[in-house]
Amino acid sequence: MPKILIVGGGYAGFYTAWKLEKWLRNGEAEVTVVDPLPYMTYQPFLPEVAAGSIDPRHAVVAQRRHLKKTNVITAKVTNVNHAEKKATIVPPVGDSYDFDYDIVVVTAGAVSRTFPIPGVADEAIGLKTIEEAVAIRDRVLSNFDKASNLPAGPERDRLLNFVVVGGGFAGIEVFAELRSFASALLKNYPQISFDDIQFHLIEAMGRIMPEVSEKTSHWVLKNLAERGALVHLDTQLSSAVGGKIELSTGETFESDLIVWTAGVMANPQIVRNTDLPIEERGRLVVRPDLRVGTDDEIIPDAWGAGDVTAIRDLSGGGVGGFCVPNAQHAVRQGKLMAKNIVAVLRGEEPKEYFHKNMGAVAGLGIGVGVFQSGKIAIKGFPAWFAHRGYHGLAMPSWERKLRVIAGWVGNVFLGRDIVSLSAVQNPRAAFEEFASRPKPPAAPESAKPVEAKKPATKKAAKPAVEKEAVTASK
């Protein structure tokens, strides 16, 4: 059987494997997925995870539970040598090894794109993984706990200052969700008032959310301002050393939480370690039929999809004529790629990927959202309801759909869970603090230091006169 290697188990990789299981005949091909994580993260839910509206485990899909016929390897692929059809796999335990394949599918995704701004690498946190979303949620809750015990002053202000860098969809969503979360926490922290909490969003461009109309973006700005959140437009982050925020406008303040959402880039671990063609922006060159190559040259037995690739958007949209890196494209590309791989295996022609953007929908906190499709814009509660409806149904597998929706329904009656589990980042701390340890072994006699003996001293004799006086008195 031909061996199909899928590099990356995100949207595109997971859906490719999932649909290959459905469309391949028994014995037609052997499919292997390699990813450092044993689950796929549904990234549109990360802002709600950070705001405590969704249980973190419900926003991920276990690969082994849903990929019944696929070999799942939890490891990293550090090199793809397509000339020899070998991939280097590095497991978390044990030595690296070469994996021989017949067909390679590159769906390695993207990572946060940062700039060499002082302090960002040391202080900021991204929003690409479920672990980052959980850490953001726990930091907000921990800071509320700490600030509630402090008097007014610089340290209290620092704990209650929250910063998001990047005014795209991801940045605006997490910014608005955290603002909603913080407002909801006030009833549990009487020591903290609404005015004590400061939210700052920093955007280098002159507007936010380029995916929606300018009129709609102005409505979002107005809504955020009414909720006490400040957006700095035409402003760049100059420094974040030690949590001290310095802006290009000259404004400075301190923050204990800096969330970075200012763009993504193709996974460098793959695109820098392969002989497959890479374009000037560091993305895999992929044709509209999802085969690697250009219009003039096809790289046989190599496929690609998702954020790691540069695929022309045949609908005429996209940025620079290419499909934008989002879930809407990655999911659909993964499904089509599975069909195309099966078609080529059976000697048929693959189809080109064509998808016209249906619109953009964003959740901005409980009961607030925005939806844009062409000239049609919906705001407020109807858009928020549409946001939850769309993503609730888009979540892979009914098992995960039901978990997410049940959580939302439960929150209506029970409210959001506000327990911080930040201690899980160092789970052995409580055990180590009181754990008994063996006493250090006693030093051998030969090793004991010899104490210097004090020189002997003679008792002074009593004077004879005293003795005679005692005799005379008797």
Side-chain angles (χ1 to χ4, degrees):
M1 288 189 295
K3 292 183 178 180
I4 301 174
L5 171 64
I6 301 176
V7 181
Y11 295 120
F14 177 84
Y15 272 92
T16 300
W18 207 20
K19 297 306 178 183
L20 281 174
E21 289 190 352
K22 178 181 179 181
W23 293 318
L24 283 172
R25 303 187 186 108
N26 289 334
E28 193 169 10
E30 178 185 310
V31 182
T32 299
V33 172
V34 183
D35 192 276
L37 300 172
Y39 50 79
M40 185 213 84
T41 303
Y42 191 73
Q43 293 180 357
F45 279 156
L46 292 183
E48 290 201 59
V49 171
S53 295
I54 294 179
D55 186 282
R57 286 184 175 85
H58 297 170
V60 298
V61 181
Q63 293 167 354
R64 285 182 170 84
R65 176 164 186 169
H66 296 283
L67 299 178
K68 303 292 187 181
K69 303 176 183 178
T70 303
N71 300 320
V72 177
I73 300 177
T74 304
K76 292 181 180 179
V77 174
T78 58
N79 184 273
V80 175
N81 184 347
H82 194 61
E84 298 182 7
K85 293 192 174 180
K86 291 181 182 291
T88 303
I89 296 179
V90 181
V93 178
D95 298 329
S96 62
Y97 60 92
D98 287 337
F99 184 94
D100 295 317
Y101 63 82
D102 297 294
I103 299 170
V104 68
V105 177
V106 182
T107 54
V111 299
S112 296
R113 181 191 62 185
T114 57
F115 306 102
I117 300 171
V120 167
D122 301 316
E123 303 293 337
I125 184 170
L127 191 68
K128 286 290 292 178
T129 68
I130 195 69
E131 293 82 4
E132 289 172 327
V134 172
I136 291 169
R137 173 187 176 275
D138 287 345
R139 179 69 66 86
V140 172
L141 290 168
S142 296
N143 283 8
F144 266 72
D145 288 333
K146 295 173 184 177
S148 65
N149 295 321
L150 293 175
E155 182 58 28
R156 193 173 191 264
D157 293 342
R158 184 176 188 272
L159 291 170
L160 297 177
N161 267 359
F162 305 103
V163 175
V164 175
V165 183
F169 246 65
I172 290 295
E173 282 194 298
V174 72
F175 185 64
E177 288 283 359
L178 289 179
R179 173 70 266 188
S180 172
F181 186 35
S183 298
L185 288 174
L186 290 175
K187 63 179 180 292
N188 303 107
Y189 293 88
Q191 306 90 341
I192 300 174
S193 69
F194 182 88
D195 293 333
D196 292 333
I197 309 167
Q198 298 294 321
F199 275 84
H200 299 267
L201 185 134
I202 304 167
E203 171 52 48
M205 304 297 289
R207 60 163 296 180
I208 60 170
M209 303 175 76
E211 299 89 344
V212 303
S213 68
E214 193 167 353
K215 182 179 179 181
T216 302
S217 71
H218 287 165
W219 181 88
V220 174
L221 288 173
K222 181 181 178 182
N223 179 268
L224 290 172
E226 291 172 350
R227 293 157 61 186
L230 181 60
V231 178
H232 304 262
L233 296 177
D234 293 315
T235 305
Q236 296 180 4
L237 176 65
S238 301
S239 176
V241 176
K244 183 179 180 181
I245 305 298
E246 297 181 12
L247 305 181
S248 58
T249 57
E251 185 176 357
T252 63
F253 51 88
E254 294 197 8
S255 173
D256 193 57
L257 176 60
I258 306 167
V259 182
W260 182 273
T261 64
V264 297
M265 65 179 182
N267 190 333
Q269 190 169 59
I270 297 301
V271 298
R272 295 175 185 173
N273 298 286
T274 182
D275 56 352
L276 294 171
I278 306 298
E279 47 101 66
E280 62 273 7
R281 292 189 61 187
R283 297 174 296 181
L284 186 68
V285 179
V286 175
R287 295 159 45 90
D289 62 10
L290 305 180
R291 288 182 287 186
V292 175
T294 63
D295 292 338
D296 301 324
E297 182 184 7
I298 298 173
I299 306 299
D301 301 324
W303 301 76
D307 297 356
V308 76
T309 61
I311 302 173
R312 281 191 293 113
D313 191 338
L314 299 182
S315 71
V319 178
F322 293 95
C323 296
V324 297
N326 63 20
Q328 199 174 128
H329 282 304
V331 169
R332 288 169 173 80
Q333 288 170 2
K335 292 178 180 179
L336 177 63
M337 187 159 57
K339 286 184 177 181
N340 282 353
I341 291 172
V342 173
V344 171
L345 284 173
R346 296 172 184 172
E348 302 169 6
E349 286 297 314
K351 296 181 179 179
E352 291 187 335
Y353 175 73
F354 179 92
H355 173 67
K356 190 172 183 179
N357 195 343
M358 296 185 299
V361 61
L364 304 176
I366 301 297
V368 184
V370 62
F371 169 78
Q372 181 86 46
S373 180
K375 295 182 179 180
I376 301 174
I378 303 174
K379 311 174 189 74
F381 182 81
W384 172 79
F385 190 80
H387 169 266
R388 285 206 160 179
Y390 172 77
H391 286 298
L393 293 176
M395 185 72 181
S397 82
W398 279 104
E399 175 254 339
R400 271 308 186 253
K401 287 179 174 61
L402 293 175
R403 290 183 188 273
V404 170
I405 295 171
W408 283 334
V409 173
N411 286 349
V412 171
F413 300 100
L414 304 175
R416 287 183 271 202
D417 198 324
I418 64 167
V419 175
S420 169
L421 296 178
S422 57
V424 76
Q425 297 172 28
N426 187 14
R428 296 190 66 251
F431 179 80
E432 287 180 329
E433 183 178 0
F434 301 104
S436 298
R437 290 178 169 82
K439 294 180 179 180
E445 292 293 332
S446 59
K448 290 183 179 180
V450 179
E451 296 183 2
K453 293 183 179 181
K454 296 181 180 179
T457 54
K458 294 182 180 180
K459 292 183 179 181
K462 291 183 179 181
V465 177
E466 181 181 346
K467 185 175 180 181
E468 291 176 0
V470 171
T471 305
S473 65
K474 287 183 178 181

